[in-house]
Amino acid sequence: MKNLLVFMAISFMAVWGQAAELKSPNGSFHLSFEVKDGVPVYSLQLEGQPVILESRLGLELKGLEHLTNGFKLTKVDESSFDETWEPVWGETKEIRNHYNELAVTLEQEETERTMVIRFRLFDDGLGFRYEFPQQDNLTYFVVTDEKTQFAMADDHTAFWIPGDYDTQEYDYTISRLSEIRGLMDQAITPNASQTPFSDTGVQTALMMKTDDGLYINLHEAALIEYSCMHLELDDENMIFESHLTPDAVGNMAYMQAPTQTPWRTVIASKNAGDILLSNITLNLNDPCAYDDVSWIKPVKYIGVWWEMITGKSSWAYADLPSVKLGETDFSNAQPTGKHAANTEHVKMHIDFAAKHGFDQVLVEGWNVGWEDWFGKSKDYVFDFVTPYPDFDVDELREYAKSKGVRLMMHHETSSSVRNYERHMDEAYKFMEDNNYNAVKSGYVGDIIPRGEHHYGQWMVNHYIYAVKEAAKHKVMVNAHEAVRPTGLRRTYPNLLANESARGTEYEAFGGNKPAHTTILPFTRLIGGPMDYTPGIFEQDVSKYNPDNNSWVNTTIARQLALYVTMYSPLQMAADLPETYNKYLDALQFIKDVPVDWADTKVLEAEPGDFITYARKDKNSDNWFVGRTNDEEPRVSNIKFDFLEPGKKYVATIYSDKKDAHYKKNPKAYEIKKYVVTSKSKLSQKCAPGGGYAISLIEAQDKSETKGLKKL
Amino acid sequence: MKNLLVFMAISFMAVWGQAAELKSPNGSFHLSFEVKDGVPVYSLQLEGQPVILESRLGLELKGLEHLTNGFKLTKVDESSFDETWEPVWGETKEIRNHYNELAVTLEQEETERTMVIRFRLFDDGLGFRYEFPQQDNLTYFVVTDEKTQFAMADDHTAFWIPGDYDTQEYDYTISRLSEIRGLMDQAITPNASQTPFSDTGVQTALMMKTDDGLYINLHEAALIEYSCMHLELDDENMIFESHLTPDAVGNMAYMQAPTQTPWRTVIASKNAGDILLSNITLNLNDPCAYDDVSWIKPVKYIGVWWEMITGKSSWAYADLPSVKLGETDFSNAQPTGKHAANTEHVKMHIDFAAKHGFDQVLVEGWNVGWEDWFGKSKDYVFDFVTPYPDFDVDELREYAKSKGVRLMMHHETSSSVRNYERHMDEAYKFMEDNNYNAVKSGYVGDIIPRGEHHYGQWMVNHYIYAVKEAAKHKVMVNAHEAVRPTGLRRTYPNLLANESARGTEYEAFGGNKPAHTTILPFTRLIGGPMDYTPGIFEQDVSKYNPDNNSWVNTTIARQLALYVTMYSPLQMAADLPETYNKYLDALQFIKDVPVDWADTKVLEAEPGDFITYARKDKNSDNWFVGRTNDEEPRVSNIKFDFLEPGKKYVATIYSDKKDAHYKKNPKAYEIKKYVVTSKSKLSQKCAPGGGYAISLIEAQDKSETKGLKKL
């Protein structure tokens, strides 16, 4: 990676008053910082409009004087940074990291302790964090509360999910800030592990829109050795305050100076697309920690999974009330007859993957322990290496190899985390020995050690440990139910994806709101890619399992669009091969769409309504467009001016038919081909819960465009 | 191990009434069991005297009907067992396991659940446990309270330490049961990690003596996958009830049927020595789990340790406020100048060990992290493999090898247990690679994961895990601050010892009561050996560290006796070589005394007053005698009738001089040699805090006994 680095440092030793200012490189953002009566406060404006009103900063400590007041500003350091770097994989080939920085040094007179707050102001927003330099009077300390405020200028519209120490798998609610309290009860739908904490607590990334059309997004970056931040709203004053995740004894974070908190981020723009395209989260993370990244490659996969999610098949092999690993004899057990992870069935999937160019086949339910894995608070629940009698590890390894396909490993931990760590080395070695290089991990259920939460410092530490240990074995990780990402994929690019939100599986658990995917990129995806597992062509779940009346709230055309609108280097075609075989023409888009990009544009975006992305393949000059649409019928109007001028492209448009509807007529899609250039435009109807997907393949010669209409 | 097995089973399908009886093989114990109004109760008598009055049994469960009442006795199985087995190491070469057994099956009508209580009645006491067979209506359950009672017949005298979820490092209090409440406050002395829970809570093993001279001991055996049991006294009714150790969220134990609790044991005799000699604890544990035990060998060692305990030297290498492993550069750090674990100093110890026949040299403070290991709740506190700059691993490995000595590893975990488990495999491998085969581990400070306790199920699981993982590397374990043992050394004989009580180190932290070692064998040692680390010849700690005015409350003669009276296969000569060099004649006993025994007798015993043991070496025909004496001057009167008739032995008696006193004149010892036969007797004065030690070496020819007086 070649970097262009321009660095200027200006340091003021004597500070006039107790205030400092900072502007973004393009001058549109203005940050004000001040120590007012000993209390550090900041505010942020965008082109004269308030983004954050005056807000307090600080932390409360256990058994020590708090770091909230009694401060004096003793030093101000200003600098600038401008560097372009290349991610190992991503939405663009290059990322520019350009900011002005203000580091304010605060001395707490009574305790003689020092705290630094570092602000980085980008052209699309702000990041700031607390730092604790090495010093005599502050080494080990326990954070009992972080008091970072984000004071809102008005009763904005927010796209929120309930604050919770253990799950993010909630549908989004769109409401004014003042309405959160009244809507919290119904927003908290059941989950295997959940700990909501407040009537006005919400999770980050939090997306908001002001009445003036300003988009504001609050999140954090580089969550390392700290507790995950939620936001708690004082809904009288419209002030958000950071609310961390406690450990088993009620403390938030254990710190050893020199150290720092994660970055708190405020992305803001009049243009919704700028929020989606912001690289602030990644830029605030440390560069790649690995020397060798040649083994890290984006993945397109299918899986033995959706048939279990729908209830058609079972993860479990046997009809047993309980299992004791190492003791239960599976060879004599009564099979359920519904165990999908069996050798022949997996071979069929390998064949399908090979035929249609998928890299990997995820297989869930391959290993013993599924009979009683859920809801039992079971410690020794899986060993991650012992297959069921009907899953032939050796045979499948060789078969997959012969077909040029890999199996994808599955490590459901059942949240028994000590058990996972005890087996981790052996489990990763098993992967290496059997040609697996990617693992989907899961943390379903309450955490063991009991009392810890999915988003506390203890588990934040574990998730990173699992990724770093995986790297030793050249293994890529896709962690479900883990803490939502905060850009750590820059530092550890083998963390390909997380779930960490309400994904496609919930379509089989009652359905997601049709607008769900018009919000997720503004919230969940701000921190990193999501393994959303789209590609469901059969909406009627009862077709798979008569006892399950769920409906997948999306048209087929919109499912295709998600491969473009839900960015991830790890993409699943989640439905069953037998269903895809009925819609091979639609499947073609999934086969064509890349999983790694050189460039990304947002053509249209309104959170909660629609998003249209255009992306350029990293490995060719082809472009792909996707539009996801909410429950309203809409017309999308886009220009193809992102294409290279002078070139011709064959556009294949997969769209909703005129009368399509996510519920009434979801399978009504049509496929049309056109010739398209940078001067082309498109006006496309989108059904309720619909959308469209377009592949733009550069035409190499005239024969490819013969007979096609021009857009 | 050759076994003689006699097994008889008598099963009554139809039960008359709801009662059952059992006698011990020799008929002296009588157990009564009954289901009274649906509640299971038991009582125990010894030769007509009450040991346990009618006491209730049962468990309370979380969110389920309790297993305390509503029972019906549906089946009674009686059987007998008589087998002799050989421990890998121990106090005797053979152990007889002889009991009558009663297994009562209880059906809880309303819930249709089954519980079995199994009683084993030995000639010296009772063991019983709860069992939960595989069944439809009870698989996963959480124990919130165990309701096992031990109703005392009177206000007995008890030798007790405060019940505590995190430490046993208390001096013993001797009082009536009724006085416990009033004495609890002063009994709870400060400790690095402690959680007392009740004014009348005490730990096991609990030793008692009735006014009629009956000795009663309560403990548990085979503590596996359960929570450690304390006893809480209802001091109005003199009824003890089991009090388990909670986890971070207040639950006691997580169970999966089929399963069982540990055994609760009641050892009783009119003869105090029978309590000491009882093998009930071992006999209730499962046989050895290992195929190969050739690598397990008792150890006699010295160490670089006492000089740090006294404060003369430091564990830490550098003068640093804090350490970050992998980041802190020790090569540039300012040394304290008091770091004892340096290459030259360790070599001196290796020389001393080689010269005097010690197997190993323990070295504490060899690895980075000691600058801030204590009291910081630090997660990544040690890595167990990185030495300080002045400790040359390679050089010391080769030097020790060349001298026929091994170094003993030290793994202080600082109670950061996840960190220890993460490093454990590498740490044990490091040991193998560097010729270590024994490790002293430690758990000083509050447990991380925070909220867990040293004696909860979570940590009980960990201690066993560490021992089993060690076995994979042929490593023996001596775990300090761990849960007190319960006979698991039968199953895992590489668990050589624990500390898990107030040991010799406390002599440097203010001193132990002079009678301490006259109680410990009746309490702490009932469950297993203790690494008491005796052999301190310099009582005045200020001689080592002028700032430490502690006094070691024992005469030199009694220190020698402890190698006989404090049974352990792992024995330390804990003082400094420079001190031993001043008393080489006394050191001779420590050099001569074995650490593995073929036979053991108790010659005299009164808890709190004195104990005299005689033991026969496993590897020769020599015998050794030791007497520990309380703060009263006493005369010990023993016969040597345990010796083989017709043989002559050279007895070397190391005893207190006439005017010796643990405080005023502790170094006043004398060494006398005699000829001794099985007809000999000895009347020996013991000083306050004193005692004596005798080696009885079989005389091979007349020259050895020439000129010696006969006893």
Side-chain angles (χ1 to χ4, degrees):
Chain A
M1 253 179 277
K2 301 256 174 254
N3 302 322
L4 279 179
L5 198 66
V6 175
F7 186 85
M8 294 177 350
I10 304 163
S11 191
F12 298 99
M13 288 311 296
V15 181
W16 283 84
Q18 292 282 293
E21 314 285 321
L22 185 70
K23 280 188 148 78
S24 58
N26 66 1
S28 45
F29 278 95
H30 184 205
L31 169 82
S32 296
F33 174 81
E34 196 182 342
V35 177
K36 254 183 159 182
D37 297 317
V39 177
V41 299
Y42 78 108
S43 61
L44 184 68
Q45 293 186 324
L46 174 57
E47 282 157 354
Q49 273 192 295
V51 179
I52 309 279
L53 296 180
E54 187 179 278
S55 300
R56 299 175 63 141
L57 296 164
L59 298 95
E60 291 186 350
L61 310 183
K62 185 181 175 105
L64 297 175
E65 289 278 334
H66 295 326
L67 286 164
T68 46
N69 55 355
F71 285 110
K72 215 170 136 182
L73 177 61
T74 57
K75 191 149 99 73
V76 173
D77 291 286
E78 281 191 50
S79 59
S80 295
F81 190 83
D82 195 351
E83 172 202 74
T84 301
W85 58 280
E86 287 187 15
V88 176
W89 43 261
E91 299 181 73
T92 59
K93 188 167 189 293
E94 286 183 350
I95 293 175
R96 186 182 185 193
N97 186 9
H98 186 205
Y99 59 80
N100 288 332
E101 178 176 291
L102 181 76
V104 296
T105 301
L106 308 172
E107 306 275 355
Q108 199 178 41
E109 304 202 80
E110 234 187 78
T111 61
E112 289 180 65
R113 298 181 305 187
T114 303
M115 183 168 77
V116 173
I117 306 177
R118 189 174 303 274
F119 298 91
R120 288 185 181 167
L121 206 41
F122 302 78
D123 285 342
D124 51 356
L126 168 70
F128 64 90
R129 71 179 184 188
Y130 302 90
E131 299 178 0
F132 312 93
Q134 184 132 18
Q135 52 189 290
D136 291 338
N137 290 353
L138 189 70
T139 307
Y140 288 95
F141 57 103
V142 176
V143 177
T144 51
D145 213 358
E146 185 182 321
K147 311 298 282 178
T148 304
Q149 288 183 336
F150 306 86
M152 296 294 102
D154 206 341
D155 188 11
H156 304 324
T157 299
F159 303 78
W160 58 273
I161 53 174
D164 195 297
Y165 301 146
D166 283 287
T167 187
Q168 317 101 338
E169 291 173 352
Y170 294 117
D171 261 319
Y172 280 85
T173 301
I174 306 172
S175 80
R176 297 239 171 224
L177 297 178
S178 58
E179 297 171 307
I180 290 176
R181 181 184 294 277
L183 293 167
M184 184 60 71
D185 257 359
Q186 70 205 55
I188 298 171
T189 45
N191 193 280
S193 176
Q194 60 190 140
T195 316
F197 56 85
S198 161
D199 287 340
T200 63
V202 298
Q203 300 201 33
T204 76
L206 177 71
M207 186 68 205
M208 289 176 285
K209 184 177 182 182
T210 76
D211 288 343
D212 297 324
L214 180 62
Y215 297 92
I216 302 174
N217 187 291
L218 305 179
H219 192 36
E220 60 175 326
L223 174 55
I224 296 175
E225 275 311 324
Y226 201 74
S227 171
C228 167
M229 179 183 78
H230 308 268
L231 298 168
E232 187 155 17
L233 179 67
D234 161 5
D235 55 355
E236 276 184 58
N237 298 302
M238 296 305 156
I239 299 179
F240 281 111
E241 190 172 284
S242 52
H243 181 108
L244 301 177
T245 308
D247 74 354
V249 298
N251 295 324
M252 303 299 170
Y254 300 83
M255 312 286 276
Q256 178 188 352
T259 191
Q260 61 285 319
T261 66
W263 298 89
R264 281 77 188 80
T265 59
V266 182
I267 308 172
S269 175
K270 280 259 173 185
N271 184 343
D274 288 348
I275 308 292
L276 299 175
L277 294 173
S278 176
N279 282 308
I280 283 180
T281 311
L282 282 172
N283 280 328
L284 289 171
N285 274 265
D286 282 345
C288 180
Y290 306 139
D291 294 323
D292 171 24
V293 293
S294 60
W295 51 276
I296 301 174
K297 299 184 188 313
V299 171
K300 212 190 291 181
Y301 71 107
I302 62 168
V304 177
W305 171 72
W306 182 246
E307 58 185 292
M308 287 96 84
I309 288 288
T310 55
K312 171 173 155 60
S313 307
S314 66
W315 283 272
Y317 168 79
D319 219 340
L320 292 169
S322 74
V323 165
K324 288 197 176 186
L325 297 180
E327 293 176 40
T328 303
D329 181 8
F330 280 94
S331 56
N332 284 330
Q334 178 66 32
T336 61
K338 295 182 9 171
H339 181 236
N342 64 73
T343 303
E344 284 316 302
H345 197 54
V346 174
K347 274 179 162 177
M348 181 274 277
H349 282 77
I350 291 171
D351 290 341
F352 185 90
K355 179 171 181 180
H356 295 288
F358 289 95
D359 303 307
Q360 305 204 4
V361 176
L362 167 72
V363 182
E364 295 199 5
W366 69 276
N367 56 326
V368 303
W370 286 95
E371 286 70 17
D372 61 354
W373 72 287
F374 180 75
K376 312 281 189 258
S377 196
K378 189 178 181 188
D379 197 319
Y380 187 26
V381 60
F382 289 112
D383 70 12
F384 310 98
V385 295
T386 306
Y388 279 120
D390 60 348
F391 183 90
D392 191 326
V393 171
D394 294 336
E395 187 178 344
L396 285 169
R397 177 188 65 243
E398 296 310 315
Y399 191 79
K401 253 194 219 170
S402 74
K403 299 283 184 171
V405 165
R406 285 187 203 255
L407 293 185
M408 182 184 291
M409 176 51 70
H410 183 226
H411 287 169
E412 175 52 61
T413 71
S414 202
S415 291
S416 183
V417 183
R418 171 174 70 177
N419 180 61
Y420 187 35
E421 291 202 9
R422 283 178 175 177
H423 290 91
M424 192 177 281
D425 193 56
E426 203 190 341
Y428 285 153
K429 278 201 182 99
F430 180 92
M431 286 180 65
E432 282 186 287
D433 292 344
N434 291 291
N435 211 33
Y436 292 82
N437 72 347
V439 58
K440 167 181 173 180
S441 59
Y443 297 86
V444 174
D446 288 338
I447 297 294
I448 306 174
R450 299 159 184 107
E452 289 297 330
H453 295 290
H454 283 76
Y455 311 145
Q457 183 184 19
W458 183 262
M459 285 306 295
V460 165
N461 172 299
H462 164 80
Y463 302 129
I464 295 173
Y465 176 77
V467 168
K468 288 161 81 172
E469 287 297 301
K472 295 178 183 175
H473 300 267
K474 297 185 161 43
V475 162
M476 300 180 283
V477 176
N478 165 24
H480 284 222
E481 293 89 27
V483 72
R484 78 276 184 278
T486 57
L488 284 168
R489 73 195 197 272
R490 177 180 182 188
T491 318
Y492 308 112
N494 64 319
L495 174 57
L496 284 195
N498 295 93
E499 179 195 48
S500 309
R502 193 177 168 100
T504 295
E505 68 187 10
Y506 272 84
E507 302 281 17
F509 303 160
N512 290 337
K513 294 181 184 170
H516 193 50
T517 54
T518 70
I519 301 173
L520 281 174
F522 287 99
T523 53
R524 166 59 184 78
L525 270 66
I526 295 297
M530 178 175 177
D531 184 32
Y532 190 72
T533 68
I536 302 300
F537 286 4
E538 178 50 71
Q539 300 75 22
D540 183 356
V541 178
S542 71
K543 291 259 161 67
Y544 292 164
N545 173 16
D547 295 328
N548 187 341
N549 288 320
S550 289
W551 192 269
V552 182
N553 293 325
T554 168
T555 66
I556 286 183
R558 195 260 285 279
Q559 284 293 299
L560 300 180
L562 295 179
Y563 290 90
V564 180
T565 68
M566 292 291 293
Y567 168 65
S568 176
L570 182 108
Q571 290 281 17
M572 185 179 192
D575 215 326
L576 279 48
E578 68 206 49
T579 297
Y580 286 134
N581 282 334
K582 294 193 256 178
Y583 307 100
L584 287 173
D585 53 355
L587 184 69
Q588 189 60 43
F589 181 81
I590 301 178
K591 293 168 63 170
D592 292 340
V593 75
V595 280
D596 204 10
W597 306 103
D599 198 6
T600 294
K601 311 275 182 209
V602 175
L603 307 182
E604 302 168 303
E606 189 60 59
D609 294 347
F610 52 83
I611 309 176
T612 312
Y613 272 100
R615 302 188 193 267
K616 184 181 182 197
D617 183 12
K618 191 180 249 177
N619 298 309
S620 73
D621 289 326
N622 299 330
W623 283 80
F624 293 76
V625 177
R627 155 102 175 191
T628 178
N629 200 62
D630 70 348
E631 67 284 354
E632 293 297 319
R634 297 179 187 273
V635 177
S636 166
N637 291 300
I638 60 169
K639 294 185 201 168
F640 289 89
D641 54 0
F642 51 85
L643 295 174
E644 205 176 323
K647 281 194 174 172
K648 285 189 178 163
Y649 300 78
V650 174
T652 309
I653 304 180
Y654 305 72
S655 56
D656 299 315
K657 272 191 172 157
K658 221 170 48 147
D659 56 345
H661 185 280
Y662 73 90
K663 185 80 194 199
K664 297 179 246 180
N665 199 12
K667 294 192 177 72
Y669 66 92
E670 55 191 17
I671 301 175
K672 296 198 171 126
K673 282 193 192 300
Y674 297 93
V675 176
V676 157
T677 70
S678 62
K679 297 194 161 129
S680 304
K681 295 185 207 183
L682 173 68
S683 187
Q684 178 66 53
K685 278 194 177 134
C686 302
Y692 59 81
I694 311 175
S695 60
L696 296 149
I697 312 296
E698 198 190 351
Q700 300 296 348
D701 61 69
K702 282 198 173 156
S703 65
E704 294 175 26
T705 56
K706 185 169 174 173
L708 296 180
K709 269 200 206 152
K710 201 167 175 195
L711 264 190
Chain B
M1 258 180 275
K2 303 260 172 245
N3 302 324
L4 281 176
L5 198 66
V6 176
F7 186 85
M8 292 173 357
I10 304 162
S11 193
F12 299 100
M13 287 312 296
V15 179
W16 284 83
Q18 291 284 295
E21 314 285 319
L22 187 70
K23 280 187 146 81
S24 58
N26 66 2
S28 43
F29 277 96
H30 184 205
L31 169 83
S32 295
F33 174 83
E34 197 184 339
V35 177
K36 255 184 158 181
D37 298 318
V39 177
V41 299
Y42 78 107
S43 60
L44 185 69
Q45 292 186 327
L46 174 56
E47 282 156 354
Q49 272 192 294
V51 179
I52 309 279
L53 295 180
E54 187 180 279
S55 301
R56 299 175 61 141
L57 296 163
L59 297 95
E60 291 187 350
L61 309 183
K62 184 182 177 105
L64 297 175
E65 289 279 332
H66 296 325
L67 286 164
T68 46
N69 56 354
F71 285 109
K72 217 170 133 178
L73 177 61
T74 57
K75 190 148 101 74
V76 172
D77 291 287
E78 281 190 52
S79 59
S80 295
F81 190 83
D82 195 350
E83 173 201 75
T84 300
W85 58 280
E86 287 188 14
V88 176
W89 43 261
E91 299 180 73
T92 59
K93 188 169 189 291
E94 286 183 351
I95 293 176
R96 186 181 185 194
N97 186 7
H98 187 204
Y99 59 81
N100 290 331
E101 178 176 290
L102 181 75
V104 296
T105 301
L106 308 171
E107 307 274 356
Q108 197 177 42
E109 303 202 80
E110 233 186 78
T111 61
E112 289 180 67
R113 298 182 305 189
T114 304
M115 183 168 77
V116 173
I117 305 176
R118 189 175 303 272
F119 298 90
R120 287 186 182 166
L121 205 40
F122 302 78
D123 285 341
D124 51 356
L126 168 70
F128 65 90
R129 69 179 185 188
Y130 302 89
E131 299 178 0
F132 312 93
Q134 185 132 18
Q135 53 190 287
D136 291 337
N137 291 354
L138 189 70
T139 307
Y140 289 94
F141 56 103
V142 176
V143 177
T144 50
D145 212 359
E146 185 181 321
K147 312 297 282 177
T148 304
Q149 288 182 335
F150 306 86
M152 297 293 102
D154 207 341
D155 189 8
H156 304 325
T157 298
F159 304 78
W160 58 273
I161 53 173
D164 195 298
Y165 300 146
D166 282 287
T167 186
Q168 318 100 337
E169 292 174 350
Y170 295 117
D171 261 318
Y172 281 84
T173 301
I174 307 172
S175 79
R176 296 242 172 223
L177 298 178
S178 59
E179 297 171 308
I180 290 176
R181 182 184 294 276
L183 293 167
M184 184 59 72
D185 257 358
Q186 69 206 57
I188 298 172
T189 45
N191 192 280
S193 176
Q194 61 192 140
T195 317
F197 56 85
S198 162
D199 287 339
T200 62
V202 298
Q203 299 200 36
T204 77
L206 178 71
M207 186 67 205
M208 289 175 285
K209 185 177 180 182
T210 77
D211 288 343
D212 298 322
L214 178 63
Y215 297 91
I216 302 174
N217 187 289
L218 305 178
H219 193 36
E220 61 175 325
L223 174 54
I224 295 175
E225 275 311 323
Y226 201 73
S227 171
C228 168
M229 179 183 78
H230 308 267
L231 299 169
E232 187 155 17
L233 179 67
D234 162 5
D235 55 356
E236 276 184 55
N237 298 301
M238 296 306 155
I239 298 179
F240 280 112
E241 190 173 284
S242 53
H243 181 109
L244 301 178
T245 307
D247 73 352
V249 298
N251 295 324
M252 302 300 170
Y254 300 83
M255 312 285 276
Q256 177 187 354
T259 191
Q260 59 287 318
T261 65
W263 298 89
R264 282 74 187 81
T265 59
V266 182
I267 308 171
S269 175
K270 282 261 174 183
N271 184 343
D274 288 349
I275 308 293
L276 299 177
L277 294 172
S278 177
N279 282 306
I280 284 181
T281 311
L282 282 173
N283 280 327
L284 289 171
N285 274 265
D286 282 345
C288 179
Y290 305 140
D291 293 322
D292 172 23
V293 293
S294 59
W295 50 277
I296 301 174
K297 299 184 189 310
V299 172
K300 212 191 290 182
Y301 71 106
I302 62 168
V304 177
W305 171 72
W306 184 246
E307 57 184 293
M308 288 96 83
I309 289 287
T310 55
K312 170 174 155 61
S313 308
S314 68
W315 283 271
Y317 168 79
D319 220 341
L320 292 169
S322 75
V323 164
K324 287 196 177 188
L325 297 180
E327 292 174 42
T328 302
D329 181 9
F330 280 94
S331 55
N332 284 330
Q334 178 65 35
T336 61
K338 295 180 15 170
H339 181 235
N342 63 70
T343 304
E344 283 317 303
H345 197 55
V346 174
K347 275 179 161 176
M348 181 274 277
H349 282 77
I350 291 170
D351 291 340
F352 185 90
K355 180 172 178 178
H356 296 287
F358 289 96
D359 303 307
Q360 305 203 4
V361 176
L362 167 72
V363 181
E364 295 199 4
W366 69 276
N367 56 326
V368 304
W370 287 95
E371 286 69 16
D372 61 354
W373 72 287
F374 180 73
K376 312 282 189 257
S377 195
K378 189 179 181 189
D379 198 318
Y380 186 25
V381 60
F382 289 111
D383 69 12
F384 311 98
V385 295
T386 306
Y388 279 121
D390 61 347
F391 183 91
D392 191 325
V393 172
D394 294 334
E395 187 178 343
L396 286 169
R397 177 189 66 243
E398 297 309 316
Y399 191 80
K401 252 195 219 169
S402 74
K403 299 283 182 171
V405 165
R406 286 188 202 255
L407 294 184
M408 182 184 290
M409 176 52 69
H410 184 227
H411 288 168
E412 176 53 61
T413 71
S414 202
S415 291
S416 181
V417 183
R418 171 173 70 177
N419 180 62
Y420 187 35
E421 291 202 9
R422 283 179 174 177
H423 291 91
M424 192 178 279
D425 193 56
E426 204 190 341
Y428 285 153
K429 280 202 181 99
F430 179 91
M431 285 179 65
E432 283 186 288
D433 292 344
N434 290 291
N435 210 33
Y436 291 82
N437 72 350
V439 58
K440 168 182 173 180
S441 59
Y443 297 87
V444 173
D446 289 338
I447 297 294
I448 306 174
R450 301 160 183 103
E452 289 296 332
H453 294 289
H454 283 76
Y455 312 144
Q457 183 184 20
W458 182 261
M459 285 307 295
V460 165
N461 173 298
H462 164 79
Y463 302 129
I464 296 174
Y465 175 77
V467 167
K468 289 162 81 171
E469 287 297 300
K472 296 178 183 174
H473 299 268
K474 295 184 163 40
V475 162
M476 300 180 283
V477 175
N478 166 23
H480 283 221
E481 293 89 27
V483 72
R484 79 275 184 277
T486 57
L488 285 168
R489 74 195 195 272
R490 178 180 182 189
T491 319
Y492 307 112
N494 64 316
L495 175 57
L496 284 195
N498 294 94
E499 180 197 46
S500 309
R502 193 176 168 100
T504 295
E505 68 187 8
Y506 272 85
E507 302 280 17
F509 302 161
N512 291 338
K513 294 180 184 171
H516 193 49
T517 55
T518 70
I519 302 173
L520 281 176
F522 288 99
T523 54
R524 167 60 183 77
L525 270 67
I526 295 295
M530 179 176 176
D531 184 31
Y532 190 71
T533 67
I536 302 300
F537 286 3
E538 177 49 73
Q539 300 75 23
D540 183 356
V541 178
S542 72
K543 291 259 161 66
Y544 291 163
N545 174 14
D547 295 328
N548 187 341
N549 288 318
S550 288
W551 192 268
V552 183
N553 293 325
T554 169
T555 66
I556 286 184
R558 194 260 285 278
Q559 283 292 299
L560 302 180
L562 295 179
Y563 290 90
V564 181
T565 69
M566 291 292 293
Y567 168 66
S568 176
L570 182 108
Q571 290 280 16
M572 184 179 192
D575 215 326
L576 278 50
E578 68 207 49
T579 297
Y580 285 133
N581 283 334
K582 293 194 255 175
Y583 308 99
L584 288 173
D585 52 354
L587 184 69
Q588 190 59 44
F589 181 80
I590 301 178
K591 293 167 65 170
D592 292 340
V593 75
V595 280
D596 204 8
W597 307 103
D599 199 5
T600 295
K601 312 276 184 205
V602 175
L603 307 183
E604 302 168 303
E606 190 59 60
D609 293 347
F610 52 83
I611 308 176
T612 312
Y613 272 100
R615 301 188 193 265
K616 185 182 182 196
D617 182 12
K618 191 179 249 180
N619 298 308
S620 74
D621 289 325
N622 300 329
W623 283 79
F624 294 76
V625 177
R627 156 103 176 189
T628 177
N629 201 63
D630 69 348
E631 68 283 354
E632 294 296 319
R634 296 180 188 273
V635 176
S636 165
N637 291 300
I638 61 170
K639 294 185 200 168
F640 290 88
D641 54 0
F642 51 85
L643 295 173
E644 205 175 324
K647 280 196 173 169
K648 286 190 178 162
Y649 300 79
V650 174
T652 309
I653 305 180
Y654 305 74
S655 57
D656 299 317
K657 271 189 171 155
K658 221 170 47 145
D659 57 345
H661 185 282
Y662 72 91
K663 185 80 195 201
K664 298 179 245 181
N665 198 12
K667 292 190 177 72
Y669 67 92
E670 54 192 15
I671 303 176
K672 295 199 171 125
K673 284 192 189 302
Y674 297 92
V675 177
V676 156
T677 71
S678 63
K679 299 195 157 120
S680 302
K681 296 185 205 183
L682 173 67
S683 187
Q684 177 65 53
K685 279 196 177 131
C686 301
Y692 59 82
I694 311 176
S695 60
L696 296 149
I697 312 296
E698 197 188 352
Q700 300 296 347
D701 60 70
K702 282 199 173 155
S703 64
E704 295 175 27
T705 57
K706 185 170 176 174
L708 297 179
K709 271 201 204 148
K710 200 164 176 200
L711 264 189

